[in-house]
């Protein structure tokens, strides 16, 4: 990455969260007394057979961050670790001497306090709950996409239902899950903390992307090039295919048996659906119309990897030669209205997301794990390049209601939480006041200071806290979704994880 | 515990259809395909990786604690899997039941190996561990206990004494005493007898886990207690109640008395542990084998021959680790168990490098087999990669061979495979994967994608091929496709000469389009003089020069014009097929026009340069 040209371009170099310290501690096992149908566990020794031990086990082995060791993660990023600072924030001067660009610091939390706050439950169970906000479930299929069901406008509850799609199976499935209640131990020793399956349906080909159209309908992009709308019938918990656009994406020889080209990305803005694919094609569908409303053939000479809405009539696409393109769907011209690109090395971009409030701020993630922030009002190059993951960044998402927070996940098996909300120390953060109930925010007051959080160049101000939420994971985290205080992610290790207290 | 009676070889065969056509699907490792077991593979993969990463430096005790923890984690995964299978089995009986029994056998063996090898419990704690082991795995008792306890008057229940016996046999003294107290309160007449027995059971010395008492101390206490029991038995204190008398005999370690309860113990290893508890509580690990052998003989009594599971457990009691692993590999239908157990034992430094005939050790051999099985699975192949990584000798070769054979259905999958190869510097495989993807793209007429892939692979030959396709398309259509790509080639342009030419030629078009004629002209000339352009393309380039020559202002300098003329003459003279030009009217006209234009340009430039220099 020689010249980035742009003087504003900043880049932090260096290893990822390599220096992880904690987590060598053995997981505490819970003794349990769990009635099994034929083989009751009379487990006197402290290994456990049942769900709780298994749960703690699962969480250990695929160890999502627990409050205890989260603080000990090294900041992913380049600058020297200045871990222990944030517990008692040091004087600003110490941080500002860093080179222009990101200031990173490790986050250290008083884990004990958190434990005390929450761990009042029953003996074994309470300990378990306090130990983990994250519940995991092994689902025997590699997960390519996870998506929360959108909440109704007036909802006060945290999100509960989410959908997953699998890939690389002989038999791929779309599944709807309930994240389950936190803290309510169920009957029969069943733990409600664990996500449980509501219903699922078979899907042809790998699930490449998926998105909720509304509360009931999910649009799924398949590796066969087909785009399908599934309907989730909530009264009897079933899934059915509502509508299907077969081979919406295809290669020249459409007639051959394998003429379909993978549909790599889908984005919805009810009733409009936009899909992109390996064939470089952009399709615009309407949920209520049989045929495509608009198709841009050869929109891109390389593979389009992802798409998102910029405004209601404009979309953003990223492709495999490092370009970010804006398309205005009102124009009949089959050409992008603007092209941005990573100068020089043409690193493929895999994901894109737009700031929910400030539409000119766009984040993309690339093959080298780099996070790029773009200001589409100006320039043709990213405003900042942040060295992040060690391998492909598969998804990037701004927090929908609190865009100071950004989440990225990667092939290297990590999931990072980027937090710019702390950069003005005197600013009160609603999120950090604690409980889940306060986590829904309207951000009119925060926005003034946040405007520049992602674009700012002021070295004294733009501090970013970066936390790796999954230490020691080895297999790819393919997808994440975040809504309210809840995060869900799925991995190639065939597990889904739900973190219900993201900002705890 | 039942065990699969048929022996599964690793290369077992599964019927696809029971028809006469006899199509066999030969699979490496059958269990890999069991849906519920995928959890086991995935979860244990995480533990395996954690173990490989764990620090060897941790000395002595903490290292051992760590390894025991790892072992327990493995076991809890097995247990979790069993639990899931129970749920599955609740829906439909059949194969799931067999799987559950295999899993529970695996857990039983693993647990014993954990006690004997990983933890290497010493005399004293050893017995406690073995008791735990038996309590955990012989649990038909619990339903019985529940029955008895839920009845109105437990002491009248017909199973009452059975339950008490079981508690005593398993050394669960407190529970046994609790039950007895119920009976005692119902039977005030024999209160005294109960008290004595209760007292005996309470006083029974047990080894402690802490170092609070030495073995000799324990032995002394135990001897004392034993004599006391003996005394009461000889006194005939319990003579009036045969149940209590037999319990007292058990406490004394009377083998016949214990054997009478055969039905309650169900297995010979339960008998072994009970026997040890009441006659040799301070048994040393090395003495286990004698007791184990005689217990098995006594228990089976020549009635039935030992089953494979018995043989495996016996081998474990004899500390024949290799024998355990060998038997397990023969009997179990998967490599998972032996691969992980061997790896763990290897980390305990228990398996001296036991070289196999092909030069690798046993741990590696088993891991390779297991990982190869994973690779044969359409979805679990990703796990196999990490296992190969931890096979120092052959892992790399295996990985190279396997990874090339992963079907690449989508670009995303290809990217994942590619990342695996790139992380391990497997250049050959990277090239091959990129080439496959480039070929696919080319076949689909996606030149842009194809070029991207060949650039990623740094495959110059293929890049040349694709560049030629681009140029050919240009010659046919008169315009470039995939401009967004060609305009953004950047440094990757230098991959092949032809690609450089393509990029530069496109740059010429852009300059021309932007009316930067002087720069365009210079570039055009360089393309020819520096021999970047292929000769076949020179004519096109020269034709492209025509409009530049005909511009109002002079663009080519005299020197440049001479160069152009030389190029033209080289082309016409150098071409052995002179006939072609003469025959082809169009070509001849083109050459003539070029010559004319060049001559006129030369005249104009001489005048101009002369004027400029003169003034």
């Amino acid at each position: 990455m020689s010249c980035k040209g742009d003087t504003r371009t900043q880049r932090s170099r260096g290893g990822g969260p390599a220096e992880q310290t904690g987590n060598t501690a053995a997981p505490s096992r819970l003794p349990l007394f769990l009635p099994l149908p034929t083989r009751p566990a009379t487990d006197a020794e402290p290994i456990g057979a049942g769900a709780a031990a298994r749960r703690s086990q699962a969480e250990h082995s695929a160890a999502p961050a627990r409050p205890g060791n989260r603080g000990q993660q090294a900041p992913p990023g380049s600058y020297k670790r200045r871990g222990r600072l944030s517990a008692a924030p040091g004087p600003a001067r110490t941080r500002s001497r860093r080179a222009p660009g990101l200031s990173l610091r490790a986050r250290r939390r008083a884990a004990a306090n958190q434990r005390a706050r929450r761990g009042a439950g029953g003996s074994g169970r309470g300990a378990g709950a306090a130990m983990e906000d994250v519940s995991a479930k092994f689902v025997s299929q590699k997960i390519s996409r996870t998506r929360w069901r959108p909440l109704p406008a007036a909802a006060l509850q945290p999100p509960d239902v989410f959908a997953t799609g699998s890939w690389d199976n002989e038999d791929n499935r779309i599944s709807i899950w309930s994240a389950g209640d936190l803290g309510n131990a169920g009957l029969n020793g069943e733990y409600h903390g664990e996500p449980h399956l509501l219903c699922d349906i078979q899907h042809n080909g790998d699930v490449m992307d998926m998105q909720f159209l509304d509360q009931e309908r999910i649009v799924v992009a398949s590796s066969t090039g087909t785009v399908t709308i599934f309907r989730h019938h909530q009264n009897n918990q079933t899934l059915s295919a509502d509508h299907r656009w077969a081979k919406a994406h295809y290669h020249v020889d459409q007639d051959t048996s394998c003429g379909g080209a993978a549909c790599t990305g889908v984005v919805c803005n009810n009733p409009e659906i936009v899909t992109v694919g390996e064939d470089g094609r952009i399709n615009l569908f309407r949920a209520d119309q049989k045929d495509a409303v608009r198709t841009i053939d050869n929109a891109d000479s390389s593979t389009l990897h992802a798409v998102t809405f910029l405004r209601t009539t404009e979309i953003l696409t990223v492709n495999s030669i490092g370009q970010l393109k804006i398309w205005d769907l009102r124009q009949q011209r089959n050409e992008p209205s603007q092209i941005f690109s990573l100068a020089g090395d043409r690193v493929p971009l895999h994901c894109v997301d737009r700031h929910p409030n400030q539409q000119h701020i766009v984040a993309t993630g690339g093959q080298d794990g780099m996070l790029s922030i773009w200001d589409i009002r100006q320039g043709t190059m990213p405003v900042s390049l942040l060295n992040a993951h060690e391998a492909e960044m598969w998804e990037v998402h701004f927090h929908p209601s609190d865009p100071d927070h950004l989440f990225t996940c990667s092939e290297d098996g990590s999931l990072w939480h980027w937090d710019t909300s702390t950069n003005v120390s005197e600013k009160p953060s609603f999120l950090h006041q604690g409980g889940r109930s306060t986590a829904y925010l309207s951000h009119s007051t925060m926005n003034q200071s946040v405007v520049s959080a992602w674009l700012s160049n002021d070295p004294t101000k733009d501090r970013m806290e970066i936390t790796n939420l999954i230490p020691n994971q080895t297999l790819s985290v393919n997808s994440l979704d975040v809504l309210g205080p809840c995060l869900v992610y799925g991995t190639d290790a065939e597990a889904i994880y739900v973190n219900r207290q993201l900002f705890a | 515990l039942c065990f699969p009676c048929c022996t599964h070889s690793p290369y077992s065969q599964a019927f696809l259809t029971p028809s006469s056509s006899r199509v066999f699907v030969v699979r490496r490792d059958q269990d890999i395909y069991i849906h519920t077991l995928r959890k086991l593979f995935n979860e244990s993969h995480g533990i395996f990786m954690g173990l490989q990463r764990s620090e060897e430096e941790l000395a002595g005790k903490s290292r051992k604690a760590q390894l025991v923890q790892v072992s327990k984690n493995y076991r809890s995964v097995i247990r979790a899997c069993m639990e899931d299978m129970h749920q599955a089995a609740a829906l439909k009986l059949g194969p799931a039941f067999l799987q559950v029994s295999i899993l529970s056998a695996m857990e039983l063996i693993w647990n014993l190996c954990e006690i004997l090898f990983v933890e290497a419990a010493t005399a004293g704690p050893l017995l406690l561990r073995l008791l735990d082991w038996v309590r955990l795995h012989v649990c038909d008792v619990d339903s019985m206990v529940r029955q008895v306890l839920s009845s109105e008057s437990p002491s009248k229940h017909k199973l009452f004494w059975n339950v008490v016996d079981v508690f005593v046999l398993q050394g669960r003294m407190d529970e046994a005493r609790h039950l007895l107290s119920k009976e005692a309160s119902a039977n005030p007449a024999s209160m005294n007898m109960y008290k004595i027995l209760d007292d005996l059971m309470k006083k029974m010395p047990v080894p402690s886990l802490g170092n609070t008492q030495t073995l000799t101390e324990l032995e002394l206490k135990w001897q004392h207690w034993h004599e006391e029991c003996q005394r009461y038995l000889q006194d005939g204190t319990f003579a009036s109640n045969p149940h209590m008398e037999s319990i007292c005999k058990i406490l004394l370690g009377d083998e016949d008395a214990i054997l009478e309860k055969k039905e309650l113990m169900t297995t010979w290893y339960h008998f072994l542990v009970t026997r040890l508890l009441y006659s040799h509580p301070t048994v040393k690990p090395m003495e286990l084998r004698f007791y184990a052998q005689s217990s098995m003989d006594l228990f089976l009594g020549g009635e039935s021959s030992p089953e494979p599971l018995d043989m495996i457990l016996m081998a474990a009691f004899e500390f024949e680790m290799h024998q355990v692993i060998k038997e397990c590999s023969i009997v179990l239908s998967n490599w998972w168990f032996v691969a992980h157990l061997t790896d763990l034992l290897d980390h305990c430094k228990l398996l001296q490098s036991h070289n196999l005939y092909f030069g690798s050790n046993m741990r590696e051999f088993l891991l390779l087999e297991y990982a190869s099985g994973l690779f044969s699975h359409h979805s679990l192949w990703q796990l196999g990669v990490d296992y190969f990584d931890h096979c120092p000798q052959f892992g790399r070769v295996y990985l190279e061979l396997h990874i090339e054979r992963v079907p690449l259905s989508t670009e995303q999958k290809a990217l994942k495979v590619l990342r695996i190869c790139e992380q391990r510097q497997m250049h050959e495989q990277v090239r091959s994967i990129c080439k496959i993807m480039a070929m696919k793209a080319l076949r689909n007429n996606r030149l842009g994608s194809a070029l991207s892939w060949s650039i990623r692979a740094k495959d110059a030959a293929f890049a040349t091929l694709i560049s030629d396709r681009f140029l050919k398309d240009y010659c046919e259509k008169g315009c470039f496709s995939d401009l967004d790509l060609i305009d953004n080639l950047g440094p990757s342009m230098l991959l092949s000469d032809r690609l450089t030419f393509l990029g530069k030629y496109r740059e010429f078009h852009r300059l021309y389009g932007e009316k930067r004629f002087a720069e365009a002209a210079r570039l055009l000339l360089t393309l020819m003089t520096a021999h970047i352009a292929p000769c076949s393309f020179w004519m096109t380039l020269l034709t492209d020069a025509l409009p530049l020559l005909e511009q109002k202002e002079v663009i080519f300098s005299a020197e440049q014009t001479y160069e152009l003329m030389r190029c033209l003459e080289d082309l016409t003279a150098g071409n052995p097929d002179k006939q072609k030009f003469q025959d082809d009217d169009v070509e001849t006209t083109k050459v003539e026009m070029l010559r004319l234009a060049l001559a006129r340009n030369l005249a104009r430039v001489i005048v101009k340069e002369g004027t400029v220099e003169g003034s």
Side-chain angles (χ1 to χ4, degrees):
Chain A
M1 285 283 202
S2 49
C3 61
K4 289 289 165 202
D6 197 330
T7 48
R8 282 167 299 137
T9 299
Q10 299 134 8
R11 174 153 197 200
S12 49
R13 275 249 160 244
E19 1 157 17
Q20 293 163 351
T21 47
N23 203 29
T24 44
S28 63
R29 299 212 149 252
L30 313 170
L32 29 119
F33 308 96
L34 231 237
L36 270 187
T38 59
R39 181 163 279 278
T42 52
D43 196 347
E45 54 178 328
I47 95 129
R54 174 185 148 47
R55 183 161 163 271
S56 82
Q57 150 61 30
E59 284 153 9
H60 172 64
S61 67
R66 57 186 60 180
N69 70 20
R70 178 195 272 173
Q72 289 156 28
Q73 294 311 311
S78 53
Y79 297 103
K80 244 184 289 162
R81 245 186 109 190
R82 30 188 76 237
R84 322 288 136 142
L85 270 181
S86 57
R93 273 132 257 131
T94 55
R95 299 182 198 126
S96 63
R97 75 174 145 81
R98 263 164 282 166
L102 281 179
S103 317
L104 309 171
R105 64 199 157 111
R107 140 149 72 180
R108 186 169 172 79
R109 289 261 163 75
N113 290 346
Q114 294 193 359
R115 233 162 261 201
R117 191 146 45 82
R118 251 173 297 136
S123 57
R125 170 69 195 163
M131 195 174 65
E132 279 303 342
D133 302 336
V134 180
S135 53
K137 186 172 178 71
F138 281 81
V139 293
S140 294
Q141 48 189 345
K142 292 198 274 192
I143 297 298
S144 60
R145 280 293 180 265
T146 56
R147 293 285 179 258
W148 287 111
R149 185 174 75 192
L151 291 168
L156 290 173
Q157 258 95 49
D160 177 45
V161 175
F162 63 94
T164 62
S166 74
W167 77 285
D168 205 25
N169 259 340
E170 271 168 345
D171 170 31
N172 289 298
R173 308 194 81 81
I174 308 286
S175 315
I176 306 280
W177 306 81
S178 165
D181 270 339
L182 187 67
N184 293 342
L187 306 165
N188 310 325
E190 173 201 354
Y191 275 92
H192 277 213
E194 195 175 80
H196 60 269
L197 185 68
L198 294 178
C199 52
D200 63 350
I201 192 170
Q202 201 254 332
H203 178 260
N204 267 335
D206 297 348
V207 174
M208 302 295 286
D209 198 3
M210 106 182 148
Q211 180 117 29
F212 273 91
L213 185 68
D214 52 29
Q215 295 263 53
E216 291 202 320
R217 287 177 295 173
I218 321 160
V219 187
V220 181
S222 160
S223 62
T224 60
T226 302
V227 178
T228 317
I229 301 183
F230 288 99
R231 185 180 286 275
H232 175 214
H233 305 277
Q234 288 174 42
N235 38 10
N236 58 355
Q237 294 300 353
T238 52
L239 271 172
S240 64
D242 216 30
H243 185 69
R244 179 167 284 145
W245 291 281
K247 281 191 191 166
H249 291 269
Y250 57 93
H251 288 303
V252 179
D253 44 354
Q254 193 181 11
D255 302 328
T256 59
S257 58
C258 52
C263 174
T264 51
V266 60
V267 67
C268 313
N269 186 8
N270 198 5
E272 282 176 331
I273 300 163
V274 176
T275 66
V276 295
E278 278 182 15
D279 56 355
R281 194 171 268 113
I282 300 177
N283 283 313
L284 171 65
F285 300 106
R286 289 180 68 93
D288 45 8
Q289 285 180 25
K290 268 216 154 62
D291 295 312
V293 178
R294 168 104 187 262
T295 298
I296 307 178
D297 289 326
N298 262 325
D300 204 301
S301 56
S302 51
T303 299
L304 287 170
H305 280 142
V307 61
T308 193
F309 272 104
L310 181 62
R311 281 176 266 276
T312 45
T313 55
E314 282 178 298
I315 55 166
L316 287 165
T317 62
V318 288
N319 67 11
S320 64
I321 52 171
Q323 291 172 328
L324 173 71
K325 296 182 182 177
I326 302 180
W327 304 79
D328 190 340
L329 296 173
R330 287 167 302 189
Q331 289 180 8
Q332 284 312 303
R333 239 163 27 104
N334 285 344
E335 267 167 36
S337 52
Q338 240 179 314
I339 300 182
F340 302 84
S341 77
L342 293 170
D345 33 9
R346 314 167 57 252
V347 181
L349 295 175
H350 286 293
C351 50
V352 58
D353 196 25
R354 183 211 63 191
H355 195 287
N357 305 338
Q358 281 134 27
Q359 302 186 331
H360 56 92
I361 302 175
V362 170
T364 63
Q367 180 147 293
D368 52 358
M370 187 122 54
L371 174 71
S372 322
I373 307 286
W374 313 67
D375 182 350
I376 56 166
R377 295 173 305 185
Q378 47 186 313
T380 58
M381 280 187 291
V383 175
S384 46
L385 289 167
L386 308 168
N387 221 1
H389 301 280
E390 281 155 23
E392 285 87 352
M393 185 189 290
W394 292 126
E395 282 207 81
V396 56
H397 286 291
F398 283 101
H399 191 284
S401 54
D402 188 11
D404 292 353
H405 299 267
L406 181 92
F407 298 85
T408 61
C409 64
S410 159
E411 175 74 19
D412 67 5
S414 56
L415 192 157
W416 287 12
H417 174 184
W418 308 66
D419 179 0
T420 56
S421 63
T422 48
N423 62 350
V424 184
S425 48
E426 62 270 22
K427 186 183 70 181
S429 170
F430 301 139
L431 283 177
H432 291 258
Q433 284 171 355
R436 276 174 292 164
S437 53
T438 57
Y440 293 96
L441 304 166
S442 62
H443 280 277
S444 47
T445 52
M446 290 169 92
N447 281 343
Q448 283 88 29
S449 55
V450 170
V451 168
S452 52
W454 294 106
L455 300 177
S456 156
N457 319 304
D458 184 352
T460 57
K461 274 181 83 183
D462 61 346
R463 276 186 300 278
M464 219 182 263
E465 266 191 14
I466 304 175
T467 320
N468 183 4
L469 300 180
I470 320 176
N472 291 333
Q473 172 90 4
T474 53
L475 290 181
S476 169
V477 183
N478 291 325
S479 179
L480 72 93
D481 197 21
V482 49
L483 184 62
C486 300
L487 167 75
V488 59
Y489 56 97
T491 70
D492 273 346
E494 308 192 344
I496 47 178
Y497 299 82
V498 177
N499 183 345
R500 278 190 224 74
Q501 297 185 331
L502 205 45
F503 303 109
Chain B
L1 283 171
C2 86
F3 215 73
C5 16
C6 54
T7 307
H8 289 276
S9 88
Y11 298 90
S12 55
Q13 299 169 324
F15 268 112
L16 190 68
T17 49
S19 68
S20 57
S21 57
R22 284 177 181 271
V23 177
F24 289 96
V25 178
V26 184
R27 285 176 160 175
R28 279 191 80 88
D29 193 338
Q30 220 184 355
D31 282 2
I32 295 271
Y33 294 88
I34 296 171
H35 193 68
T36 36
L37 283 185
R38 283 174 70 160
K39 265 172 228 235
L40 177 70
F41 303 135
N42 275 295
E43 216 168 336
S44 57
H45 167 258
I47 302 172
F48 174 83
M49 292 304 288
L51 176 59
Q52 311 304 313
R53 273 195 291 250
S54 68
E55 295 154 55
E56 295 272 343
E57 299 89 57
L58 273 181
K61 271 216 166 117
S62 53
R63 173 69 176 161
K64 188 188 264 183
Q66 189 185 19
L67 289 166
V68 170
Q69 191 55 53
V70 168
S71 174
K72 284 181 177 173
N73 286 351
Y74 276 128
R75 282 200 293 128
S76 85
V77 177
I78 300 179
R79 291 224 142 215
C81 236
M82 278 159 62
E83 212 176 292
D84 286 342
M85 286 199 160
H86 271 302
Q87 280 164 15
L91 301 174
K92 48 179 196 288
L93 276 164
F97 180 71
L98 183 68
Q99 281 305 323
V100 171
S101 66
I102 293 176
L103 279 177
S104 65
M106 292 198 314
E107 212 260 330
L108 175 80
I109 301 166
W110 193 300
N111 196 350
L112 184 61
C113 291
E114 179 183 310
I115 295 166
L116 297 177
F117 307 145
V118 182
E119 191 175 1
T122 50
L126 174 66
L127 184 70
L128 292 181
R129 290 271 173 269
L130 287 175
L131 272 175
D132 286 341
W133 175 64
V134 162
R135 285 171 198 165
L136 186 60
H137 291 95
V138 181
C139 43
D140 311 332
V141 193
D142 297 82
S143 57
M144 209 150 69
V145 175
R146 228 172 296 134
Q147 268 186 46
V148 171
L149 286 182
S150 60
S151 69
E152 280 172 22
S153 59
S155 54
K156 297 285 178 296
H157 197 278
K158 65 177 187 306
L159 290 176
F160 175 80
W161 283 105
N162 278 357
V163 171
V164 176
D165 284 345
V166 166
F167 281 145
V168 173
L169 289 171
Q170 294 192 358
R172 291 153 79 172
M173 288 307 178
D174 291 340
E175 285 151 282
R177 283 172 54 209
H178 179 70
L179 269 187
L180 277 178
S181 71
K182 283 189 194 300
E183 170 75 1
S185 55
N187 242 348
S190 46
M191 184 65 100
N192 193 32
M193 201 160 69
Y194 284 112
K195 263 219 173 99
I196 293 170
L197 188 60
D198 187 71
D199 199 43
L200 281 181
M201 287 163 81
K202 194 170 85 186
K203 274 197 291 188
M204 179 183 172
V206 283
S208 72
L209 276 177
N211 285 334
T212 47
Q213 61 175 358
T214 59
L215 273 186
T216 28
E217 216 176 312
L218 173 72
E219 260 163 9
L220 220 74
K221 274 189 194 166
W222 194 81
Q223 203 61 45
H224 187 74
W225 173 79
H226 197 84
E227 277 161 17
E228 199 180 341
C229 295
Q230 194 81 41
R231 219 167 35 241
Y232 281 118
L233 188 68
Q234 278 161 6
D235 284 356
T237 315
F238 305 117
S240 60
N241 187 329
H243 292 300
M244 291 171 83
E245 191 170 22
S246 90
I247 289 177
C248 188
K249 277 183 184 167
I250 294 174
L251 292 185
L252 279 167
D254 184 332
E255 276 170 18
D256 296 324
I258 300 175
L259 264 181
E260 266 173 37
K261 311 288 176 193
K262 204 168 166 178
E263 263 65 55
L264 294 177
M265 292 187 286
T266 64
T267 57
W268 65 268
Y269 44 89
H270 190 335
F271 173 57
L272 164 69
V273 176
T274 308
R275 195 175 149 210
L276 289 175
L277 174 65
Y278 293 112
S279 46
H280 310 277
T282 55
V283 65
K284 293 187 185 62
M286 281 309 146
E287 296 162 354
L288 268 179
R289 62 172 70 203
F290 308 114
Y291 298 118
Q293 190 62 54
S294 62
S295 297
M296 189 165 88
D297 293 343
L298 276 174
F299 192 86
L300 297 179
E303 286 163 29
S304 55
S305 55
E307 284 184 34
L309 177 61
D310 301 327
M311 300 311 293
I312 294 169
L313 294 177
M314 184 55 78
F317 282 123
E318 288 169 352
F319 284 82
E320 297 281 352
M321 260 168 270
H322 291 109
Q323 189 63 26
V324 173
I325 292 161
K326 188 180 152 196
E327 297 264 347
C328 288
S329 346
I330 293 171
V331 168
L332 291 173
S333 55
N334 60 50
W335 289 109
W336 179 89
F337 179 77
V338 277
H340 286 86
L341 183 61
T342 312
D343 176 62
L344 179 64
L345 294 179
D346 193 67
H347 275 87
C348 298
K349 307 226 180 300
L350 288 173
L351 298 170
Q352 286 80 30
S353 56
H354 183 77
N355 284 325
L356 300 177
Y357 62 92
F358 68 94
S360 149
N361 63 21
M362 183 155 71
R363 168 185 174 272
E364 178 159 339
F365 171 78
L366 293 170
L367 285 180
L368 287 173
E369 284 301 316
Y370 174 60
S372 303
L374 289 177
F375 252 97
S376 71
H377 190 275
H378 55 87
S379 187
L380 291 172
W381 56 272
Q382 268 172 308
L383 299 179
V385 176
D386 286 324
Y387 285 96
F388 281 140
D389 277 350
H390 290 100
C391 297
Q393 208 152 1
F394 293 103
R396 169 95 180 187
V397 189
Y398 268 63
L399 182 58
E400 283 172 0
L401 290 173
H402 274 107
I403 201 94
E404 279 186 324
R405 285 159 180 77
V406 173
L408 305 171
S409 46
T410 62
E411 286 195 8
Q412 185 149 9
K413 188 168 178 185
L415 287 173
K416 283 183 184 260
V417 178
L418 211 51
R419 175 60 64 183
I420 289 168
C421 296
E422 278 175 354
Q423 274 167 352
R424 291 160 183 79
Q425 271 96 43
M426 294 160 54
H427 304 295
E428 198 50 49
Q429 283 67 33
V430 169
R431 272 174 59 95
S432 127
I433 291 162
C434 287
K435 197 150 199 163
I436 291 169
M437 294 313 287
M439 270 316 281
K440 267 190 185 168
L442 198 61
R443 223 177 298 134
N444 290 325
N445 231 353
R446 301 276 305 149
L447 291 187
S449 280
L451 191 56
S452 293
W453 282 109
S454 52
I455 288 172
R456 177 148 189 195
K458 308 221 177 341
D459 186 341
F462 208 74
T464 304
L465 187 95
I466 297 164
S467 311
D468 279 340
R469 276 280 296 270
F470 270 116
L471 293 171
K472 198 175 124 231
D473 280 2
Y474 169 74
C475 289
E476 283 165 9
K477 293 183 201 152
C479 65
F480 280 108
S481 57
D482 302 327
L483 282 182
D484 50 352
L485 174 65
I486 302 173
D487 281 346
N488 286 291
L489 281 175
S492 53
M493 193 192 281
L494 300 172
L495 180 59
S496 93
D497 287 351
R498 201 58 50 84
L499 192 59
T500 317
F501 170 66
L502 178 67
K504 286 290 168 192
Y505 186 53
R506 164 61 198 159
E507 196 179 327
F508 161 75
H509 276 264
R510 219 182 52 232
L511 291 173
Y512 186 85
E514 289 166 8
K515 300 214 185 306
R516 290 150 74 184
F517 296 129
E519 286 163 71
R522 210 176 308 129
L523 181 59
L524 187 68
L525 195 61
T526 325
L527 284 179
M528 281 185 287
T529 51
H531 292 278
I532 298 170
C535 282
S536 56
F537 218 77
W538 279 29
M539 201 59 213
T540 320
L541 291 181
L542 286 168
T543 325
D544 283 333
L546 259 179
L548 287 174
L549 291 168
E550 300 292 345
Q551 289 292 325
K552 265 201 196 106
E553 58 198 293
V554 183
I555 291 158
F556 287 102
S557 69
E559 199 133 334
Q560 286 175 323
T561 319
Y562 285 129
E563 290 280 345
L564 274 177
M565 292 165 100
R566 193 175 56 79
C567 290
L568 180 62
E569 292 316 311
D570 279 358
L571 188 62
T572 45
N575 198 333
D577 191 14
K578 264 195 165 174
Q579 291 304 103
K580 195 183 150 204
F581 283 104
Q582 270 136 35
D583 294 345
D584 193 335
D585 266 350
V586 183
E587 285 300 317
T588 326
T589 335
K590 226 186 236 174
V591 173
E592 288 306 318
M593 273 173 63
L594 268 172
R595 282 194 176 127
L596 181 65
L598 284 168
R600 277 171 43 181
N601 190 64
L602 189 59
R604 280 160 63 193
V605 81
I606 288 172
V607 171
K608 187 191 165 202
E609 280 173 7
T611 329
V612 172
E613 272 157 32
S615 66

